Amino acid sequence: MSEANKPPIHPVASFLPGPPIDRTRVEGWQRWERTRELFVPAPVLSMEQYLQLTPRRRRIHDLHRLATHSSLPVQSTPMSDAVGWLVKARIEDGAYSHKAGIRTGVMINGGGAQGKTETVCAALAAFAEEWLEVNEYMNPEAMAGTRDLLAPVAYVRCPVKATPVSTCQRILDFYGEDYKNMRQEDLIRTVNAAIAAHATKALVIDDITRLKLHRESDQDVLDLLLEVMSMSVTLILVGVGIPTSGLLRRGRFDPVAKQWVIPPVRDRGRSPNPDAATQHERRFEMVNLQPFSYDTPGQIKAWVDHLAALEKCLRLLHDTEGMLTSGSMPEYLFKRTNGVVGLLEKLVQRGCRVAIEGGSERLTIELLNRCAVLPTDLPDLDADSGEQPLIPPVESRPRKKPKGRNTVFDDSGPAVESAG
Protein backbone atom coordinates (compact mmCIF):
# COMPACT_ATOMS: atom_id res chain seq x y z
CA MET A 1 0.00 0.00 0.00
CA SER A 2 1.40 3.39 -1.01
CA GLU A 3 1.98 6.07 1.61
CA ALA A 4 -0.58 8.31 -0.13
CA ASN A 5 -3.35 5.78 0.45
CA LYS A 6 -2.63 5.22 4.12
CA PRO A 7 -5.19 6.81 6.45
CA PRO A 8 -3.73 9.52 8.71
CA ILE A 9 -3.23 8.64 12.36
CA HIS A 10 -4.46 11.15 14.95
CA PRO A 11 -4.45 11.06 18.76
CA VAL A 12 -7.47 9.11 19.99
CA ALA A 13 -9.00 11.89 22.12
CA SER A 14 -7.82 14.95 20.20
CA PHE A 15 -11.40 16.03 19.48
CA LEU A 16 -12.78 15.84 23.02
CA PRO A 17 -14.12 19.18 24.30
CA GLY A 18 -12.64 20.82 27.36
CA PRO A 19 -14.55 22.18 30.37
CA PRO A 20 -17.75 24.09 29.56
CA ILE A 21 -17.19 27.73 28.66
CA ASP A 22 -19.33 30.41 30.29
CA ARG A 23 -18.87 33.60 28.28
CA THR A 24 -20.77 35.58 30.92
CA ARG A 25 -17.67 35.39 33.16
CA VAL A 26 -14.43 37.15 32.27
CA GLU A 27 -12.35 33.98 32.61
CA GLY A 28 -14.74 32.03 30.40
CA TRP A 29 -14.93 34.81 27.83
CA GLN A 30 -11.17 35.07 27.56
CA ARG A 31 -10.78 31.30 27.32
CA TRP A 32 -13.33 31.29 24.50
CA GLU A 33 -11.37 34.04 22.74
CA ARG A 34 -8.17 31.97 22.96
CA THR A 35 -9.66 28.61 21.96
CA ARG A 36 -12.50 29.46 19.58
CA GLU A 37 -10.50 28.50 16.46
CA LEU A 38 -8.40 25.65 17.88
CA PHE A 39 -10.74 22.73 17.11
CA VAL A 40 -9.21 20.42 14.50
CA PRO A 41 -11.89 18.74 12.34
CA ALA A 42 -11.68 15.09 11.40
CA PRO A 43 -9.36 14.29 8.48
CA VAL A 44 -10.95 13.73 5.08
CA LEU A 45 -10.85 10.01 4.30
CA SER A 46 -11.96 8.12 1.24
CA MET A 47 -14.03 4.98 1.58
CA GLU A 48 -10.93 2.93 0.78
CA GLN A 49 -8.90 4.58 3.54
CA TYR A 50 -11.76 4.21 6.01
CA LEU A 51 -12.08 0.47 5.36
CA GLN A 52 -8.37 0.02 6.05
CA LEU A 53 -8.86 1.18 9.64
CA THR A 54 -9.37 -1.29 12.47
CA PRO A 55 -12.93 -1.43 13.87
CA ARG A 56 -11.81 0.56 16.91
CA ARG A 57 -10.16 3.22 14.73
CA ARG A 58 -13.28 3.45 12.58
CA ARG A 59 -15.40 4.12 15.63
CA ILE A 60 -12.95 6.79 16.83
CA HIS A 61 -12.99 8.39 13.39
CA ASP A 62 -16.82 8.31 13.34
CA LEU A 63 -16.92 10.06 16.70
CA HIS A 64 -14.44 12.64 15.42
CA ARG A 65 -16.69 13.20 12.40
CA LEU A 66 -19.74 13.63 14.62
CA ALA A 67 -17.80 16.14 16.71
CA THR A 68 -16.86 17.97 13.51
CA HIS A 69 -20.48 18.22 12.39
CA SER A 70 -21.52 19.34 15.88
CA SER A 71 -18.84 22.05 15.80
CA LEU A 72 -19.37 23.48 12.34
CA PRO A 73 -17.62 26.85 12.06
CA VAL A 74 -19.84 29.93 11.90
CA GLN A 75 -20.06 30.74 8.21
CA SER A 76 -20.19 34.42 7.42
CA THR A 77 -23.08 35.67 5.31
CA PRO A 78 -23.57 39.01 3.54
CA MET A 79 -26.02 39.92 6.30
CA SER A 80 -23.75 38.93 9.19
CA ASP A 81 -20.77 40.66 7.56
CA ALA A 82 -22.73 43.92 7.51
CA VAL A 83 -23.74 43.53 11.16
CA GLY A 84 -20.22 42.58 12.24
CA TRP A 85 -18.76 45.56 10.41
CA LEU A 86 -21.16 48.00 12.12
CA VAL A 87 -20.52 46.54 15.59
CA LYS A 88 -16.74 46.67 15.20
CA ALA A 89 -16.89 50.16 13.67
CA ARG A 90 -18.98 51.54 16.54
CA ILE A 91 -16.70 49.99 19.17
CA GLU A 92 -13.59 51.36 17.48
CA ASP A 93 -15.16 54.80 17.07
CA GLY A 94 -15.72 54.90 20.82
CA ALA A 95 -12.56 53.14 22.00
CA TYR A 96 -10.15 55.34 20.07
CA SER A 97 -12.00 58.63 20.62
CA HIS A 98 -10.32 61.16 22.92
CA LYS A 99 -13.61 62.87 23.65
CA ALA A 100 -15.47 62.40 26.90
CA GLY A 101 -19.15 61.58 26.93
CA ILE A 102 -21.63 59.09 25.58
CA ARG A 103 -20.67 56.55 22.90
CA THR A 104 -23.24 55.68 20.24
CA GLY A 105 -24.64 52.20 20.91
CA VAL A 106 -25.89 49.48 18.59
CA MET A 107 -29.05 47.38 18.71
CA ILE A 108 -28.90 44.04 16.87
CA ASN A 109 -32.37 42.84 15.91
CA GLY A 110 -33.20 39.50 14.32
CA GLY A 111 -35.09 36.25 14.62
CA GLY A 112 -34.03 33.12 16.44
CA ALA A 113 -31.23 30.88 15.10
CA GLN A 114 -29.97 33.60 12.77
CA GLY A 115 -26.57 33.93 14.42
CA LYS A 116 -26.95 37.28 16.19
CA THR A 117 -24.94 36.34 19.27
CA GLU A 118 -22.12 34.60 17.39
CA THR A 119 -21.86 37.46 14.90
CA VAL A 120 -21.57 39.99 17.71
CA CYS A 121 -19.12 37.86 19.72
CA ALA A 122 -16.90 37.36 16.67
CA ALA A 123 -16.76 41.14 16.11
CA LEU A 124 -15.99 41.68 19.80
CA ALA A 125 -13.18 39.12 19.76
CA ALA A 126 -11.64 40.71 16.66
CA PHE A 127 -11.72 44.12 18.31
CA ALA A 128 -10.27 42.84 21.59
CA GLU A 129 -7.34 41.14 19.87
CA GLU A 130 -6.40 44.31 18.01
CA TRP A 131 -6.91 46.56 21.02
CA LEU A 132 -4.69 44.39 23.23
CA GLU A 133 -1.97 44.32 20.59
CA VAL A 134 -2.08 48.11 20.12
CA ASN A 135 -1.81 48.60 23.90
CA GLU A 136 0.94 45.98 24.22
CA TYR A 137 -1.33 43.82 26.40
CA MET A 138 -1.32 46.38 29.21
CA ASN A 139 -4.12 48.46 30.67
CA PRO A 140 -3.37 52.02 29.55
CA GLU A 141 -5.60 53.35 32.34
CA ALA A 142 -4.13 51.31 35.22
CA MET A 143 -2.55 53.13 38.13
CA ALA A 144 1.23 52.89 38.37
CA GLY A 145 2.35 49.99 40.56
CA THR A 146 -0.93 48.07 40.26
CA ARG A 147 -1.54 44.90 38.30
CA ASP A 148 -3.26 45.15 34.95
CA LEU A 149 -6.92 44.12 34.87
CA LEU A 150 -7.79 43.74 31.21
CA ALA A 151 -11.23 43.00 29.80
CA PRO A 152 -11.68 45.10 26.63
CA VAL A 153 -15.17 43.63 26.14
CA ALA A 154 -17.81 42.30 28.52
CA TYR A 155 -20.70 39.98 27.65
CA VAL A 156 -23.78 39.50 29.85
CA ARG A 157 -27.33 38.27 29.39
CA CYS A 158 -30.36 40.23 30.50
CA PRO A 159 -32.02 38.74 33.61
CA VAL A 160 -35.39 37.08 32.99
CA LYS A 161 -37.14 39.56 35.29
CA ALA A 162 -34.77 42.46 35.07
CA THR A 163 -34.43 45.24 37.59
CA PRO A 164 -31.65 47.83 37.82
CA VAL A 165 -30.23 45.85 40.76
CA SER A 166 -30.24 42.45 39.01
CA THR A 167 -28.83 43.98 35.82
CA CYS A 168 -25.96 45.57 37.74
CA GLN A 169 -25.34 42.25 39.47
CA ARG A 170 -25.12 40.46 36.13
CA ILE A 171 -22.51 42.95 34.95
CA LEU A 172 -20.51 42.61 38.17
CA ASP A 173 -20.75 38.80 37.94
CA PHE A 174 -18.84 39.04 34.66
CA TYR A 175 -15.95 40.76 36.41
CA GLY A 176 -16.19 38.59 39.55
CA GLU A 177 -16.81 41.65 41.72
CA ASP A 178 -18.36 41.33 45.19
CA TYR A 179 -21.67 43.18 45.57
CA LYS A 180 -23.08 41.68 48.76
CA ASN A 181 -25.50 44.00 50.62
CA MET A 182 -25.01 46.84 48.12
CA ARG A 183 -27.77 49.32 47.44
CA GLN A 184 -28.67 50.31 43.89
CA GLU A 185 -26.57 53.49 44.01
CA ASP A 186 -23.56 51.51 45.27
CA LEU A 187 -24.06 48.90 42.56
CA ILE A 188 -24.05 51.53 39.81
CA ARG A 189 -20.87 53.09 41.19
CA THR A 190 -19.24 49.65 41.41
CA VAL A 191 -20.23 48.89 37.80
CA ASN A 192 -18.69 52.20 36.75
CA ALA A 193 -15.50 51.41 38.66
CA ALA A 194 -15.28 47.87 37.23
CA ILE A 195 -15.67 49.11 33.66
CA ALA A 196 -12.92 51.66 34.18
CA ALA A 197 -10.59 49.30 36.09
CA HIS A 198 -10.80 46.62 33.40
CA ALA A 199 -10.52 49.14 30.53
CA THR A 200 -13.76 47.81 29.06
CA LYS A 201 -14.66 49.48 25.80
CA ALA A 202 -17.73 47.46 24.80
CA LEU A 203 -20.53 45.96 26.89
CA VAL A 204 -22.97 43.50 25.32
CA ILE A 205 -26.35 42.75 26.87
CA ASP A 206 -27.91 39.77 25.11
CA ASP A 207 -31.59 38.78 25.18
CA ILE A 208 -32.51 42.41 25.82
CA THR A 209 -36.12 41.79 24.72
CA ARG A 210 -36.69 39.93 27.94
CA LEU A 211 -37.65 43.45 28.95
CA LYS A 212 -41.38 43.50 28.30
CA LEU A 213 -41.74 47.12 29.47
CA HIS A 214 -45.12 46.55 31.09
CA ARG A 215 -43.43 46.71 34.49
CA GLU A 216 -42.01 49.80 36.12
CA SER A 217 -38.75 47.96 36.88
CA ASP A 218 -38.27 47.31 33.14
CA GLN A 219 -38.53 51.04 32.49
CA ASP A 220 -35.98 51.61 35.26
CA VAL A 221 -33.57 49.25 33.49
CA LEU A 222 -33.80 51.45 30.39
CA ASP A 223 -32.81 54.43 32.52
CA LEU A 224 -29.89 52.38 33.88
CA LEU A 225 -28.70 51.67 30.31
CA LEU A 226 -28.56 55.40 29.64
CA GLU A 227 -26.47 55.75 32.80
CA VAL A 228 -24.11 52.99 31.62
CA MET A 229 -23.65 54.75 28.28
CA SER A 230 -22.26 57.78 30.13
CA MET A 231 -19.34 55.59 31.30
CA SER A 232 -17.59 55.97 27.92
CA VAL A 233 -18.36 52.39 26.97
CA THR A 234 -20.10 51.29 23.76
CA LEU A 235 -23.32 49.48 24.63
CA ILE A 236 -24.53 46.70 22.32
CA LEU A 237 -28.03 45.30 22.83
CA VAL A 238 -29.08 42.04 21.15
CA GLY A 239 -32.66 40.83 20.90
CA VAL A 240 -35.67 39.67 18.91
CA GLY A 241 -38.38 42.08 17.81
CA ILE A 242 -36.68 45.21 19.13
CA PRO A 243 -38.67 47.66 16.93
CA THR A 244 -41.97 46.53 18.43
CA SER A 245 -40.68 45.87 21.95
CA GLY A 246 -40.85 49.44 23.20
CA LEU A 247 -37.08 49.68 23.63
CA LEU A 248 -37.30 52.34 20.97
CA ARG A 249 -40.77 53.00 19.65
CA ARG A 250 -42.97 50.87 17.44
CA GLY A 251 -41.38 50.96 14.02
CA ARG A 252 -41.63 49.49 10.54
CA PHE A 253 -39.03 47.89 8.27
CA ASP A 254 -38.34 49.84 5.07
CA PRO A 255 -37.54 47.19 2.40
CA VAL A 256 -36.02 49.82 0.10
CA ALA A 257 -33.63 51.37 2.64
CA LYS A 258 -33.12 47.96 4.32
CA GLN A 259 -33.49 49.48 7.79
CA TRP A 260 -36.05 50.03 10.52
CA VAL A 261 -37.87 53.36 10.46
CA ILE A 262 -38.96 54.87 13.77
CA PRO A 263 -41.86 57.33 13.47
CA PRO A 264 -41.50 60.79 15.02
CA VAL A 265 -42.82 61.60 18.48
CA ARG A 266 -46.50 62.56 18.13
CA ASP A 267 -47.03 63.95 21.61
CA ARG A 268 -44.24 66.53 21.50
CA GLY A 269 -45.28 69.53 23.57
CA ARG A 270 -47.78 67.60 25.65
CA SER A 271 -45.33 65.27 27.42
CA PRO A 272 -43.68 66.62 30.59
CA ASN A 273 -40.36 65.73 28.95
CA PRO A 274 -40.91 65.72 25.18
CA ASP A 275 -37.29 64.76 24.42
CA ALA A 276 -37.20 61.75 26.74
CA ALA A 277 -39.01 59.47 24.29
CA THR A 278 -36.28 59.94 21.69
CA GLN A 279 -33.24 59.36 23.90
CA HIS A 280 -32.74 55.71 23.01
CA GLU A 281 -33.27 56.13 19.27
CA ARG A 282 -30.78 59.02 19.26
CA ARG A 283 -28.19 57.03 21.18
CA PHE A 284 -28.51 53.72 19.32
CA GLU A 285 -28.17 52.64 15.73
CA MET A 286 -30.25 49.58 15.00
CA VAL A 287 -29.39 46.95 12.41
CA ASN A 288 -31.43 43.93 11.41
CA LEU A 289 -29.81 40.52 10.90
CA GLN A 290 -32.02 38.88 8.30
CA PRO A 291 -32.15 35.31 7.00
CA PHE A 292 -31.26 34.48 3.41
CA SER A 293 -33.77 35.26 0.67
CA TYR A 294 -34.36 33.21 -2.47
CA ASP A 295 -36.11 35.57 -4.88
CA THR A 296 -33.47 37.15 -7.13
CA PRO A 297 -30.45 35.65 -8.95
CA GLY A 298 -28.12 37.48 -6.55
CA GLN A 299 -29.91 36.14 -3.48
CA ILE A 300 -29.93 32.61 -4.86
CA LYS A 301 -26.19 32.84 -5.61
CA ALA A 302 -25.48 34.03 -2.06
CA TRP A 303 -27.42 31.04 -0.69
CA VAL A 304 -25.61 28.57 -2.95
CA ASP A 305 -22.24 30.10 -2.04
CA HIS A 306 -23.11 29.59 1.63
CA LEU A 307 -24.01 25.95 0.96
CA ALA A 308 -20.75 25.46 -0.95
CA ALA A 309 -18.75 26.70 2.06
CA LEU A 310 -20.74 24.35 4.30
CA GLU A 311 -20.00 21.40 1.98
CA LYS A 312 -16.27 21.80 2.57
CA CYS A 313 -16.81 21.29 6.32
CA LEU A 314 -18.60 17.95 5.95
CA ARG A 315 -16.76 14.71 6.68
CA LEU A 316 -18.66 12.05 4.75
CA LEU A 317 -16.82 9.27 2.93
CA HIS A 318 -18.25 10.20 -0.46
CA ASP A 319 -17.02 13.37 -2.16
CA THR A 320 -19.14 16.18 -0.71
CA GLU A 321 -18.61 18.62 -3.58
CA GLY A 322 -22.04 19.42 -5.04
CA MET A 323 -23.83 17.45 -2.32
CA LEU A 324 -25.65 20.57 -1.10
CA THR A 325 -25.37 22.76 -4.19
CA SER A 326 -26.40 20.64 -7.18
CA GLY A 327 -29.78 19.88 -8.66
CA SER A 328 -32.81 20.84 -6.59
CA MET A 329 -30.96 20.56 -3.26
CA PRO A 330 -30.44 24.34 -2.75
CA GLU A 331 -34.15 25.06 -3.22
CA TYR A 332 -35.09 22.11 -1.03
CA LEU A 333 -32.80 23.26 1.78
CA PHE A 334 -34.19 26.78 1.57
CA LYS A 335 -37.76 25.47 1.85
CA ARG A 336 -36.77 23.33 4.85
CA THR A 337 -35.12 26.26 6.67
CA ASN A 338 -36.52 29.47 5.12
CA GLY A 339 -32.92 30.66 4.86
CA VAL A 340 -32.29 30.60 8.63
CA VAL A 341 -28.65 29.58 9.08
CA GLY A 342 -29.15 27.97 12.49
CA LEU A 343 -31.89 25.67 11.19
CA LEU A 344 -29.75 24.79 8.17
CA GLU A 345 -26.84 23.83 10.42
CA LYS A 346 -29.01 21.60 12.62
CA LEU A 347 -30.66 19.92 9.62
CA VAL A 348 -27.29 19.17 7.99
CA GLN A 349 -25.86 17.97 11.31
CA ARG A 350 -28.78 15.58 11.82
CA GLY A 351 -28.54 14.39 8.22
CA CYS A 352 -24.83 13.65 8.54
CA ARG A 353 -25.44 11.53 11.63
CA VAL A 354 -28.12 9.51 9.82
CA ALA A 355 -25.86 9.15 6.76
CA ILE A 356 -22.96 7.90 8.87
CA GLU A 357 -24.99 5.52 11.02
CA GLY A 358 -26.91 4.18 8.01
CA GLY A 359 -23.79 3.71 5.93
CA SER A 360 -24.99 5.79 2.95
CA GLU A 361 -22.35 8.49 3.64
CA ARG A 362 -24.29 10.90 1.44
CA LEU A 363 -26.88 13.64 1.99
CA THR A 364 -29.90 13.34 -0.27
CA ILE A 365 -33.37 14.84 -0.26
CA GLU A 366 -34.81 11.43 0.59
CA LEU A 367 -32.51 11.10 3.60
CA LEU A 368 -33.13 14.66 4.81
CA ASN A 369 -36.89 14.09 4.56
CA ARG A 370 -36.41 11.63 7.42
CA CYS A 371 -34.65 14.25 9.56
CA ALA A 372 -36.76 16.60 11.64
CA VAL A 373 -35.36 19.69 13.38
CA LEU A 374 -37.07 20.20 16.74
CA PRO A 375 -37.05 23.11 19.23
CA THR A 376 -35.04 20.86 21.54
CA ASP A 377 -32.26 20.96 18.92
CA LEU A 378 -31.92 24.69 19.64
CA PRO A 379 -31.51 24.74 23.45
CA ASP A 380 -29.51 27.99 23.46
CA LEU A 381 -32.45 30.01 22.17
CA ASP A 382 -34.50 31.82 24.79
CA ALA A 383 -38.23 31.35 24.33
CA ASP A 384 -38.95 34.13 26.87
CA SER A 385 -37.40 36.68 24.53
CA GLY A 386 -39.09 35.28 21.41
CA GLU A 387 -36.03 33.54 19.96
CA GLN A 388 -37.54 30.12 19.21
CA PRO A 389 -38.41 30.17 15.48
CA LEU A 390 -41.27 28.21 13.99
CA ILE A 391 -39.65 25.38 12.06
CA PRO A 392 -41.00 24.71 8.55
CA PRO A 393 -42.63 21.28 8.22
CA VAL A 394 -41.19 18.49 6.08
CA GLU A 395 -43.16 18.37 2.84
CA SER A 396 -43.13 15.91 -0.01
CA ARG A 397 -43.79 18.67 -2.54
CA PRO A 398 -43.16 22.44 -2.60
CA ARG A 399 -45.80 24.78 -1.26
CA LYS A 400 -46.24 28.29 -2.59
CA LYS A 401 -45.12 30.99 -0.23
CA PRO A 402 -48.15 33.07 0.88
CA LYS A 403 -47.84 36.75 0.20
CA GLY A 404 -47.54 39.23 3.04
CA ARG A 405 -46.50 36.68 5.65
CA ASN A 406 -43.19 35.90 7.26
CA THR A 407 -43.00 32.13 6.93
CA VAL A 408 -40.16 31.79 9.41
CA PHE A 409 -42.07 33.18 12.36
CA ASP A 410 -45.71 32.81 11.28
CA ASP A 411 -46.01 29.37 9.72
CA SER A 412 -49.53 28.00 9.52
CA GLY A 413 -48.51 24.37 9.09
CA PRO A 414 -48.73 21.96 6.19
CA ALA A 415 -50.84 22.79 3.18
CA VAL A 416 -54.30 21.14 3.11
CA GLU A 417 -55.39 19.24 0.02
CA SER A 418 -58.64 20.63 -1.34
CA ALA A 419 -61.43 18.17 -2.02
CA GLY A 420 -61.82 17.46 -5.72
Side-chain angles (χ1 to χ4, degrees):
M1 179 172 46
S2 66
E3 291 296 326
N5 290 330
K6 286 185 178 180
I9 302 298
H10 287 267
V12 171
S14 62
F15 57 88
L16 294 178
I21 293 179
D22 181 2
R23 291 188 294 197
T24 64
R25 299 294 189 272
V26 65
E27 297 84 2
W29 173 270
Q30 292 177 348
R31 186 158 65 89
W32 172 79
E33 281 186 331
R34 294 191 304 269
T35 62
R36 70 187 190 280
E37 297 178 350
L38 296 183
F39 174 75
V40 178
V44 178
L45 298 186
S46 66
M47 182 67 77
E48 180 185 1
Q49 291 175 316
Y50 179 77
L51 293 176
Q52 291 170 3
L53 297 173
T54 64
R56 178 174 178 274
R57 284 286 178 182
R58 286 182 203 171
R59 178 55 180 163
I60 295 297
H61 181 66
D62 288 345
L63 290 174
H64 197 170
R65 291 196 288 161
L66 293 174
T68 300
H69 298 146
S70 297
S71 311
L72 292 172
V74 178
Q75 303 286 345
S76 66
T77 69
M79 299 76 72
S80 66
D81 287 345
V83 171
W85 179 88
L86 177 62
V87 170
K88 193 163 181 282
R90 282 286 171 264
I91 298 172
E92 290 177 344
D93 289 345
Y96 294 105
S97 173
H98 289 252
K99 293 182 178 180
I102 292 173
R103 294 347 189 196
T104 301
V106 182
M107 288 188 178
I108 312 299
N109 178 68
Q114 289 176 196
K116 299 183 302 300
T117 297
E118 296 310 315
T119 297
V120 169
C121 287
L124 289 169
F127 161 78
E129 289 174 353
E130 291 181 357
W131 189 91
L132 289 169
E133 184 176 358
V134 167
N135 289 280
E136 299 180 340
Y137 297 89
M138 295 187 295
N139 186 345
E141 301 169 15
M143 295 178 60
T146 64
R147 65 188 180 95
D148 289 337
L149 301 172
L150 282 170
V153 299
Y155 173 84
V156 301
R157 300 184 69 184
C158 183
V160 175
K161 292 186 177 180
T163 65
V165 168
S166 64
T167 303
C168 285
Q169 290 173 341
R170 283 290 177 95
I171 297 172
L172 294 175
D173 281 337
F174 178 85
Y175 296 111
E177 296 281 349
D178 182 24
Y179 50 75
K180 186 177 180 180
N181 298 327
M182 285 190 183
R183 299 172 304 169
Q184 180 172 317
E185 295 80 3
D186 299 326
L187 286 167
I188 294 174
R189 281 194 295 271
T190 306
V191 166
N192 194 348
I195 289 174
H198 291 80
T200 300
K201 302 303 177 185
L203 170 63
V204 178
I205 300 182
D206 206 347
D207 299 325
I208 192 61
T209 41
R210 284 176 173 176
L211 297 180
K212 303 304 181 184
L213 301 178
H214 63 282
R215 300 181 305 134
E216 183 179 355
S217 57
D218 289 357
Q219 300 288 343
D220 292 340
V221 173
L222 288 184
D223 293 336
L224 171 66
L225 296 183
L226 295 178
E227 178 71 19
V228 170
M229 296 183 78
S230 68
M231 301 173 187
S232 296
V233 63
T234 300
L235 191 60
I236 301 168
L237 308 181
V238 183
V240 177
I242 287 177
T244 57
S245 68
L247 288 169
L248 292 166
R249 286 200 305 279
R250 183 172 294 274
R252 63 179 180 84
F253 185 72
D254 185 341
V256 177
K258 301 294 185 184
Q259 62 184 6
W260 288 92
V261 177
I262 308 299
V265 180
R266 297 185 180 278
D267 62 345
R268 186 177 297 279
R270 295 196 298 271
S271 170
N273 184 3
D275 292 326
T278 67
Q279 279 187 326
H280 279 82
E281 64 189 87
R282 284 190 288 108
R283 294 183 177 184
F284 287 95
E285 181 173 355
M286 187 172 64
V287 61
N288 193 44
L289 183 55
Q290 298 173 292
F292 279 95
S293 298
Y294 203 82
D295 298 322
T296 68
Q299 292 170 343
I300 294 174
K301 181 180 183 304
W303 174 248
V304 175
D305 288 346
H306 185 73
L307 296 179
L310 188 58
E311 281 178 348
K312 296 177 181 178
C313 301
L314 304 184
R315 293 297 186 266
L316 299 176
L317 299 181
H318 290 296
D319 185 7
T320 60
E321 185 176 356
M323 197 173 284
L324 303 180
T325 55
S326 61
S328 59
M329 184 63 89
E331 183 177 2
Y332 169 82
L333 290 173
F334 186 83
K335 283 178 165 50
R336 283 293 307 271
T337 63
N338 279 333
V340 177
V341 293
L343 296 183
L344 172 67
E345 179 182 315
K346 290 299 180 181
L347 176 62
V348 169
Q349 178 186 335
R350 179 65 59 84
C352 286
R353 172 177 281 277
V354 173
I356 291 172
E357 293 179 347
S360 68
E361 296 289 342
R362 189 188 305 275
L363 295 182
T364 63
I365 291 177
E366 291 73 23
L367 181 143
L368 292 174
N369 274 336
R370 309 201 313 263
C371 302
V373 179
L374 305 174
T376 52
D377 295 319
L378 306 167
D380 293 336
L381 300 188
D382 179 26
D384 290 334
S385 60
E387 280 199 316
Q388 282 287 356
L390 292 178
I391 300 172
V394 181
E395 298 176 345
S396 59
R397 59 180 175 81
R399 176 161 54 103
K400 290 185 178 180
K401 181 179 177 180
K403 294 182 179 180
R405 185 166 64 86
N406 184 330
T407 57
V408 177
F409 301 106
D410 190 21
D411 196 276
S412 59
V416 179
E417 294 283 350
S418 59

